[in-house]
Amino acid sequence: MRRSAVLVCSVALSAAVTSCSAPAATDTGAAGKASKSGYLDQSDTSLKGTGPLTVQLDYDSVEAGGLDPQTAATARSWSIESLVYEPLVTVDSKFGIKPMLASSWKQPDATTYVFTLRKGVKFSNGRALTTADVVGSIKRLLKSKAAYAAQLGPVKSVKATGADQVTVQLTKAYTPFLAALANTPAAILPMKEIEDGSLDLQKEMLGTGPFVVKDHKQDQYWNFTPNTAYRDAKSVRITDLKIEIVPQEAARLAALRNGSAAFVNFNNVDSMDQLAGTRDAKVVSQTNSDFYYLIQNSKNPDSPLADEKVRFALDSALNRKEIASVALGGQSQPTGVTPSVLPGACDPAKLPSATGDTAALKNAGTLRLAVYTSEPAVGQIAQVIQQQLAKAGVTVKIQKYDDTTYGAKVFGAKPDFDLAVGWFAGYVDASMVSRWWNPVAAGFSGTFLNDDKTLDTLIDRAASEPDGAARTKTLAALCARVDTAAQMLPLVTRPSVVGYRTDQVSPTLRSAEGYGNFLRDITSYTLPGAK
């Protein structure tokens, strides 16, 4: 859901876009269509200016663990904290893995990874990065209770095996390992300062990344300045980065129109229409591996949804193409549990529900559908689902809640819902998000999902098999089992809509993103010179 990334809505867990037609072809980057290069836009390298940049976002990082990146469970936290922290590896524009703090790595066998650290890396306090920081950071994450720790897989040991070398040994093959390392929660931390008590990670940020925090007022703003110790500091054109937290979509639209903000995110794909014709403004829709899902509460014994046949019939009644077209203005696409934008993903058109029967819905009666009100697309998706199920004879009552109440109703100890719409981060390996379909591994879904041993086996197999035909076949079987068990239904991908002022900044924006980080390439942004 809104603020969801690792799991679901961060507000819910911490406390416990709409158009019926395609957006108008204004200066909207052809509605953000992907290119073969993997980018929507690439910075104009002829621009040589430097200066400030103002960004407006709809909400701030909200985490129970404060500013500690390892406990960050939301894409917004990942984006903001990535300005300061860096992992060993990162993701390229086509979801491949490339070096970051590791200059290289080798894999002598299926369970061993040997990383060579990049030379000349320093934390913003001037201290050089060491193997102890790398070893300590990974061990700290594995020992934590953070949800993201599960994504690192079966790590057996982490050791320094040279002055600039760290070796990670797994207990068994785990294909998503590098992909899991490529996200902010796996960033390398200043372990010396953490261990000697001079740094409070919940309140302070000290990393190797391009920026340092000048000041921050929760839910109002962040001010960042360049990290002078950054290894490529001369390439950073932004001298003062201000991130303003502006919850109102209309206010962010106005800021982009009048130029008081240079880069803005939007929740509603209608923003692409509303900015049509605005001089010096460009809006694009970035495809994400993130996707919306529909939970069917299968653990209520008094509900018709306790019956797998009823759940599968409801799944079969859904038209995902219509949801993408109507609720998300054509800026989305149907998906299975393997995000459809990722390599190796299954084809949602070939899932069993695509040809399933809805006869079992005849006695389903009235079902309550819980949604949260902070993201317009969620309500629009719910309305389309309501209309589709009505055609199958099911009455759906949409119940709208604020984030906190939604969290308590859906993810609380005693769930009080029949159906619920939310969203997951899709990550950058096709098998990663499927871990949340195992309630034992997930830890947050056991109150409304029954553990499916057949599905658990497929989840583990998909994670352990190397990329290739056999794994693709397993991923397809995994998708099919999620579809037929129909406890939590992947629906459609969740787009990111961003706008920027072409007279103030030339950004690099990827066609697709796996970790919800639309600020990922900010060090390559170029700025016009003084007028």
Side-chain angles (χ1 to χ4, degrees):
M1 26 181 309
R2 183 183 100 146
R3 315 187 185 187
S4 163
V6 173
L7 307 177
V8 279
C9 172
S10 71
V11 172
L13 292 179
S14 298
V17 251
T18 62
S19 174
C20 292
S21 60
T26 171
D27 197 5
T28 58
K33 294 189 181 297
S35 68
K36 291 182 179 179
S37 68
Y39 292 94
L40 295 170
D41 285 304
Q42 292 183 275
S43 300
D44 182 352
T45 57
S46 69
L47 300 178
K48 304 298 183 182
T50 60
L53 185 73
T54 298
V55 175
Q56 285 192 357
L57 304 179
D58 54 340
Y59 61 90
D60 204 350
S61 168
V62 181
E63 301 288 352
L67 301 179
D68 185 342
Q70 291 188 342
T71 61
T74 72
R76 183 52 42 79
S77 297
W78 300 346
S79 296
I80 293 173
E81 293 172 1
S82 74
L83 298 170
V84 173
Y85 293 110
E86 298 176 302
L88 284 174
V89 295
T90 188
V91 185
D92 67 22
S93 63
K94 296 182 180 180
F95 298 112
I97 305 300
K98 66 178 185 179
M100 187 165 251
L101 292 184
S103 60
S104 64
W105 66 89
K106 56 185 178 180
Q107 191 177 357
D109 57 58
T111 60
T112 306
Y113 294 80
V114 182
F115 298 93
T116 299
L117 303 191
R118 187 179 298 278
K119 298 183 184 300
V121 177
K122 295 181 179 181
F123 290 98
S124 59
N125 63 358
R127 183 176 68 79
L129 173 73
T130 68
T131 56
D133 294 308
V134 177
V135 172
S137 296
I138 297 175
K139 285 185 174 181
R140 182 178 184 270
L141 176 57
L142 292 169
K143 290 179 181 179
S144 74
K145 295 182 180 180
Y148 196 82
Q151 292 293 354
L152 265 62
V155 177
K156 180 180 180 180
S157 65
V158 187
K159 298 178 181 179
T161 49
D164 62 349
Q165 188 179 87
V166 171
T167 298
V168 180
Q169 187 76 42
L170 308 182
T171 59
K172 61 181 180 180
Y174 183 67
T175 302
F177 179 64
L178 290 174
L181 287 182
N183 195 15
T184 306
I188 304 306
L189 307 178
M191 294 306 299
K192 177 181 180 297
E193 289 76 4
I194 293 171
E195 292 171 350
D196 68 20
S198 62
L199 175 69
D200 184 348
L201 268 191
Q202 292 196 3
K203 299 178 180 179
E204 305 168 89
M205 292 166 64
L206 174 61
T208 59
F211 293 95
V212 296
V213 179
K214 182 179 180 182
D215 58 88
H216 170 223
K217 191 165 185 179
Q218 184 64 38
D219 297 324
Q220 292 191 34
Y221 63 82
W222 291 81
N223 283 329
F224 293 90
T225 56
N227 172 12
T228 56
Y230 182 56
R231 59 191 174 278
D232 197 18
K234 292 182 179 180
S235 70
V236 180
R237 309 290 184 86
I238 301 168
T239 58
D240 182 16
L241 175 61
K242 185 170 187 178
I243 297 179
E244 300 174 340
I245 309 302
V246 182
Q248 300 81 13
E249 187 106 343
R252 299 196 305 279
L253 278 164
L256 196 65
R257 287 193 182 105
N258 64 32
S260 58
F263 191 95
V264 177
N265 86 299
F266 298 110
N267 289 321
N268 194 327
V269 296
D270 275 351
S271 299
M272 300 179 78
D273 288 330
Q274 294 178 42
L275 286 162
T278 302
R279 185 176 179 180
D280 297 326
K282 187 172 184 177
V283 188
V284 295
S285 175
Q286 185 182 58
T287 301
N288 284 323
S289 62
D290 304 350
F291 59 81
Y292 294 101
Y293 59 78
L294 177 69
I295 300 172
Q296 301 198 72
N297 185 357
S298 60
K299 296 197 77 170
N300 179 358
D302 299 323
S303 168
L305 300 178
D307 185 342
E308 182 175 312
K309 292 180 180 179
V310 174
R311 296 196 306 272
F312 179 68
L314 188 147
D315 187 9
S316 300
L318 299 178
N319 182 334
R320 288 165 171 79
K321 286 186 176 180
E322 185 177 53
I323 293 173
S325 176
V326 176
L328 292 152
Q331 298 299 311
S332 177
Q333 62 192 57
T335 187
V337 72
T338 57
S340 56
V341 303
L342 295 181
C346 63
D347 183 351
K350 295 180 180 179
L351 292 175
S353 62
T355 55
D357 190 277
T358 62
L361 290 175
K362 62 182 179 181
N363 296 317
T366 298
L367 299 175
R368 300 165 298 153
L369 173 53
V371 300
Y372 53 95
T373 56
S374 58
E375 184 171 342
V378 171
Q380 293 297 122
I381 290 171
Q383 289 177 3
V384 178
I385 290 173
Q386 182 185 51
Q387 294 163 6
Q388 291 177 352
L389 294 183
K391 295 177 182 178
V394 179
T395 300
V396 172
K397 182 180 179 181
I398 298 174
Q399 298 180 325
K400 300 178 181 180
Y401 302 111
D402 60 68
D403 287 353
T404 302
T405 304
Y406 175 95
K409 291 279 187 179
V410 177
F411 302 105
K414 296 181 179 181
D416 183 17
F417 75 100
D418 298 316
L419 306 169
V421 177
W423 65 271
F424 285 126
Y427 307 113
V428 298
D429 179 273
S431 73
M432 288 178 72
V433 69
S434 68
R435 294 184 70 87
W436 307 140
W437 268 254
N438 179 336
V440 177
F444 68 91
S445 54
T447 56
F448 56 80
L449 286 187
N450 288 299
D451 191 14
D452 182 335
K453 298 301 182 182
T454 300
L455 180 56
D456 294 346
T457 298
L458 288 168
I459 291 170
D460 290 342
R461 186 187 304 164
S464 63
E465 290 181 334
D467 287 326
R471 189 180 195 227
T472 299
K473 185 177 180 179
T474 298
L475 290 169
L478 170 59
C479 285
R481 183 58 189 171
V482 166
D483 189 62
T484 54
Q487 295 193 84
M488 192 155 57
L489 309 176
L491 296 174
V492 295
T493 57
R494 180 178 182 269
S496 290
V497 178
V498 295
Y500 62 93
R501 295 282 307 194
T502 57
D503 57 344
Q504 295 188 42
V505 63
S506 176
T508 293
L509 295 171
R510 303 185 182 199
S511 303
E513 169 61 37
Y515 286 127
N517 187 359
F518 44 75
L519 298 176
R520 180 179 298 278
D521 296 296
I522 197 167
T523 56
S524 66
Y525 289 13
T526 56
L527 308 176
K531 295 181 179 180

